[in-house]
Amino acid sequence: MKTSDYLKTFEGLQFKQNLQIYAIIISTVLNFILTLAVFSKDTIVTITPSTLLSEAEVSEDWGSTSYIEAWALYMSLGLGNVTPENLAYLKPRINPLLSPRVYQTVSKALESQVSEIKDSHVTLYFEPRHVVREPETGKIFVHGQSVMETTTGQRERDERTYEFEIVVQNYMPSFTHILTYEGPPRTIEYINKKDAEAKNRK
């Protein structure tokens, strides 16, 4: 019997109807799975940070390396270029990025730095050279030079590093660790090298 003739019979009509029911069930299940996948996936936003030329991606609780590095560079420029004139401008832009763990410490450090600049009659600014992210610790290091300029125009340069730990919360960075010091980044490699040199001297 031809297929066209079979489909005209009672059994053929039943088979055709069952086939349509199965198709509807499968389609419904697939749509349900697709809906779950869409709602369970975090939204990823692609941006171009002002402090880096490459694109960066950020989701609700994750940021790409370029995103994290851009914010680390932004923070180092803010902290390293505080003056009595721009403190009122910088504080409301820096404070929302600070986690409760470091908020008080950083706020006091900014006030202290401004006070010292006023008393010393100098200008202090930071010139970043490069940004390093250490995968083992999650730390980001912004390394460069801190420049102190007197009223007579004399400049003193020191090697300086800003060390950060940053997490992403609700698409925004939160700085959970901030440290600044003279010298190169204190990476694991640098610390191990210094330890080895100290042992060799003994």
Side-chain angles (χ1 to χ4, degrees):
M1 181 183 292
K2 292 182 179 179
T3 304
S4 57
D5 293 335
Y6 171 73
L7 291 176
K8 290 177 184 178
T9 64
F10 178 75
E11 291 83 1
L13 290 173
Q14 265 192 326
F15 172 77
K16 190 176 179 181
Q17 187 179 10
N18 289 338
L19 197 62
Q20 289 174 338
I21 291 170
Y22 292 143
I24 291 169
I25 292 171
I26 292 169
S27 178
T28 302
V29 171
L30 289 175
N31 284 335
F32 179 72
I33 292 170
L34 182 61
T35 302
L36 284 177
V38 168
F39 280 104
S40 63
K41 187 176 181 182
D42 287 340
T43 303
I44 295 178
V45 180
T46 302
I47 62 170
T48 303
S50 59
T51 45
L52 283 182
L53 297 176
S54 59
E55 281 191 346
E57 291 183 343
V58 59
S59 66
E60 189 175 4
D61 58 359
W62 171 87
S64 64
T65 295
S66 55
Y67 176 84
I68 298 297
E69 288 181 351
W71 279 109
L73 185 57
Y74 173 87
M75 182 62 78
S76 68
L77 287 170
L79 297 175
N81 294 283
V82 176
T83 67
E85 291 76 24
N86 69 12
L87 179 62
Y89 172 81
L90 283 173
K91 280 188 77 173
R93 284 156 180 80
I94 290 176
N95 286 347
L97 304 175
L98 304 175
S99 74
R101 202 165 91 187
V102 300
Y103 182 88
Q104 291 296 334
T105 305
V106 173
S107 294
K108 288 178 182 177
L110 288 175
E111 297 285 353
S112 176
Q113 183 174 323
V114 167
S115 179
E116 287 178 17
I117 289 171
K118 278 182 179 178
D119 294 340
S120 305
H121 304 288
V122 296
T123 302
L124 193 67
Y125 56 93
F126 177 65
E127 296 177 347
R129 293 290 184 261
H130 63 277
V131 182
V132 177
R133 189 175 189 184
E134 190 172 57
E136 296 89 343
T137 61
K139 291 179 179 178
I140 304 95
F141 304 89
V142 183
H143 178 238
Q145 289 193 331
S146 179
V147 184
M148 185 174 67
E149 186 174 345
T150 64
T151 52
T152 60
Q154 186 179 355
R155 294 179 181 179
E156 290 184 16
R157 293 178 176 270
D158 292 309
E159 188 179 11
R160 178 154 293 276
T161 298
Y162 285 88
E163 180 181 301
F164 304 109
E165 288 180 24
I166 306 170
V167 297
V168 178
Q169 296 176 337
N170 297 320
Y171 298 93
M172 284 297 293
S174 177
F175 286 74
T176 59
H177 167 78
I178 296 178
L179 185 64
T180 183
Y181 44 82
E182 289 185 9
R186 295 172 186 168
T187 60
I188 293 174
E189 183 182 352
Y190 173 81
I191 292 170
N192 289 341
K193 183 180 177 182
K194 285 293 180 183
D195 288 345
E197 288 174 357
K199 287 179 182 177
N200 290 335
R201 284 195 294 266
K202 291 179 180 179

